[in-house]
Amino acid sequence: MNIRVRQGDSFWYYSQLFHVPLPLIIDANESVNPSALQVDQVVRIPGYYIDFYRIQPGDTFWSISTRLGFNFDMLQLVNPTLNPLSLQIGQRINVPVRVQGPIVHGKRDYDYAALQHDIRQLIEIYPFIKSRVIGHSVMGKEIIELQIGQGDKKVHMNGSFHAHEWITTPILMQTINDYLLALTNRLPIRGLQMEPYFQSVTLSIVPMVNPDGVDLVVNGAPDEEPYRSEVLAINNGNTEFSGWKANIRGVDLNNQYPALWEKEAARKPQQPAPRDFPGFSPLTEPEAIAMAELTRESQFDCVLAYHTQGKVFFWGFEGSEPPEAAAKATEFAKVSGYRPVQYVDSYAGYKDWFIQEWQKPGFTMELGRGVNPLPISQFDEIYQENLGIFLASLYT
Ligand SMILES: [Zn+2]
């Protein structure tokens, strides 16, 4: 919510008044100099929105704020032009409301529109989130990166490289919503306070690498040409796309990386297909290129690429993984019950390339167990398993 600065106000005072950690307020107002606040300047307060209240007989600012459970001065701040001594019955005033629960409800069919909607809502309530477009899909959809935190340690997570593994997107979105809520309201998650991680970690999340593919699986073939005709042709005219893994033009985005790509390409489909075709050469697809460029410029310390399924994760590549990857793998296994696997007969994946290029810890997490796309009924179980991994990625 937005408020206007008064004479004598400070970010520190807002932090005390609204019970919101000071670093979040500073980060939510990057264009504002905290030590030179100007009267009437607009400041964003995370974790609140403005609602309305109609004055009843006998109401005063005091009685309203006591009844609604917040400080008297909060009412003054959100009603700057109102004289508290001349309230009229029936008059509409602003009241600040603290967001106490999740905004993202991930346990549902979750397409690109759902993602966009939830990102807008999260940024509205938690304006310290940084959001940017890192590229566009084949069909021109924005591929969005969210950043949370100010720390030197850079942890990256991504979801839905594979279309029919789209449940990874709402899992990530609901997890970061819980992180944002815990940060802002100073609530522990599994006994851990989150504020230290906001200071020590910069979290980068690309919740949906393959939006065209996800929409294809969730909603069916697009109306737009030539994509509709092309995708139907690749699928042999079949209008059922629930098993589709690739991007909209039949390239498997997680087979696109120059990490023994030729070895993978030799044994995979040689032309566009619903799954496994690695492209005619590495990094031909805009979604894969966007992720490569983001990764090159960001210099992540650790990456987690979310897939389904198997309750297993992969953490090595050709001996290039550093010693600390083993320690992280042990912790991830402990908190999730998932089985760590160092090497697997698979190449040209995002995490393979990341480990090869930077010799830093990279993981492919295979959430849940069953046939892709996993039924949404697994959501709560996967969520709990992954929450441990999420926390461990911050503290290990
Ligand atoms: Zn996958």
Side-chain angles (χ1 to χ4, degrees):
M1 99 187 153
N2 291 346
I3 57 170
R4 280 184 187 275
V5 172
R6 305 166 305 188
Q7 191 66 45
D9 282 355
S10 66
F11 278 1
W12 183 85
Y13 175 68
Y14 297 147
S15 165
Q16 300 295 309
L17 181 65
F18 291 101
H19 299 282
V20 171
L22 181 58
L24 303 187
I25 297 178
I26 293 171
D27 216 26
N29 294 280
E30 273 195 321
S31 60
V32 177
N33 180 351
S35 54
L37 293 185
Q38 309 288 319
V39 170
D40 251 3
Q41 190 168 26
V42 174
V43 164
R44 312 177 82 178
I45 303 295
Y48 285 83
Y49 64 93
I50 300 267
D51 203 353
F52 302 107
Y53 174 82
R54 279 198 191 279
I55 299 293
Q56 312 286 316
D59 275 348
T60 64
F61 265 25
W62 262 117
S63 68
I64 297 165
S65 51
T66 305
R67 191 162 68 244
L68 297 179
F70 47 72
N71 188 296
F72 173 79
D73 198 31
M74 286 163 73
L75 262 192
Q76 297 215 299
L77 258 173
V78 299
N79 294 284
T81 59
L82 211 64
N83 180 352
L85 301 176
S86 59
L87 297 177
Q88 308 293 318
I89 291 166
Q91 187 176 16
R92 211 172 79 151
I93 66 165
N94 294 331
V95 287
V97 180
R98 179 154 212 151
V99 177
Q100 310 267 13
I103 298 166
V104 173
H105 297 283
K107 195 176 180 181
R108 61 190 173 111
D109 283 356
Y110 204 89
D111 62 5
Y112 181 65
L115 174 70
Q116 284 182 303
H117 174 267
D118 282 348
I119 286 176
R120 275 196 298 272
Q121 296 264 303
L122 286 179
I123 291 171
E124 175 71 25
I125 300 296
Y126 303 106
F128 54 89
I129 304 173
K130 311 283 184 292
S131 155
R132 62 179 178 143
V133 176
I134 60 159
H136 293 83
S137 69
V138 169
M139 292 180 66
K141 297 186 183 97
E142 292 178 343
I143 302 172
I144 299 162
E145 183 206 27
L146 304 176
Q147 278 185 26
I148 304 165
Q150 306 169 324
D152 293 336
K153 178 173 152 183
K154 294 184 170 185
V155 176
H156 169 75
M157 300 173 184
N158 61 62
S160 294
F161 251 96
H162 286 145
H164 68 343
E165 301 171 4
W166 59 260
I167 197 172
T168 54
T169 297
I171 289 283
L172 276 172
M173 288 296 291
Q174 198 166 308
T175 303
I176 63 171
N177 190 169
D178 278 8
Y179 179 52
L180 295 163
L181 181 66
L183 272 173
T184 309
N185 294 10
R186 292 200 175 98
L187 305 167
I189 302 181
R190 295 193 177 167
L192 290 175
Q193 280 294 337
M194 293 295 109
E195 197 180 331
Y197 301 113
F198 184 81
Q199 310 267 32
S200 63
V201 177
T202 300
L203 193 58
S204 152
I205 297 149
V206 177
M208 192 180 283
V209 174
N210 181 9
D212 299 344
V214 169
D215 278 359
L216 180 66
V217 171
V218 175
N219 301 324
D223 293 331
E224 296 93 324
E225 293 291 2
Y227 310 108
R228 182 181 181 83
S229 298
E230 286 176 6
V231 83
L232 281 163
I234 297 168
N235 210 33
N236 293 318
N238 192 341
T239 54
E240 164 64 46
F241 288 96
S242 66
W244 193 274
K245 195 174 177 185
N247 74 351
I248 197 74
R249 55 186 182 205
V251 180
D252 189 320
L253 298 174
N254 206 38
N255 277 339
Q256 269 267 289
Y257 289 87
L260 299 181
W261 180 88
E262 290 77 10
K263 194 167 171 177
E264 193 74 5
R267 60 184 182 180
K268 287 289 162 78
Q270 300 296 309
Q271 58 191 14
R275 54 181 297 161
D276 302 335
F277 173 56
F280 294 108
S281 58
L283 294 177
T284 54
E285 300 309 292
E287 300 90 349
I289 293 168
M291 288 303 299
E293 286 176 350
L294 171 74
T295 306
R296 282 197 193 101
E297 76 171 55
S298 300
Q299 300 293 316
F300 298 126
D301 294 298
C302 176
V303 305
L304 289 82
Y306 282 86
H307 293 251
T308 60
Q309 53 83 37
K311 297 200 177 194
V312 64
F313 60 88
F314 305 104
W315 61 276
F317 186 72
E318 301 287 305
S320 294
E321 65 283 4
E324 70 256 36
K328 281 184 191 287
T330 302
E331 186 66 17
F332 290 167
K334 192 177 89 184
V335 296
S336 65
Y338 283 20
R339 188 166 55 91
V341 175
Q342 189 167 10
Y343 300 123
V344 63
D345 183 27
S346 168
Y347 310 97
Y350 172 79
K351 84 106 173 62
D352 304 331
W353 175 73
F354 177 77
I355 295 172
Q356 170 191 280
E357 295 297 304
W358 287 278
Q359 295 89 48
K360 287 187 175 169
F363 299 84
T364 297
M365 315 303 302
E366 298 281 3
L367 305 181
R369 186 176 288 139
V371 177
N372 291 329
L374 292 179
I376 200 69
S377 57
Q378 284 198 18
F379 187 90
D380 296 334
E381 183 182 332
I382 292 175
Y383 178 82
Q384 290 301 330
E385 292 161 352
N386 178 59
L387 186 58
I389 294 169
F390 175 83
L391 296 172
S393 77
L394 301 177
Y395 68 69
T396 60

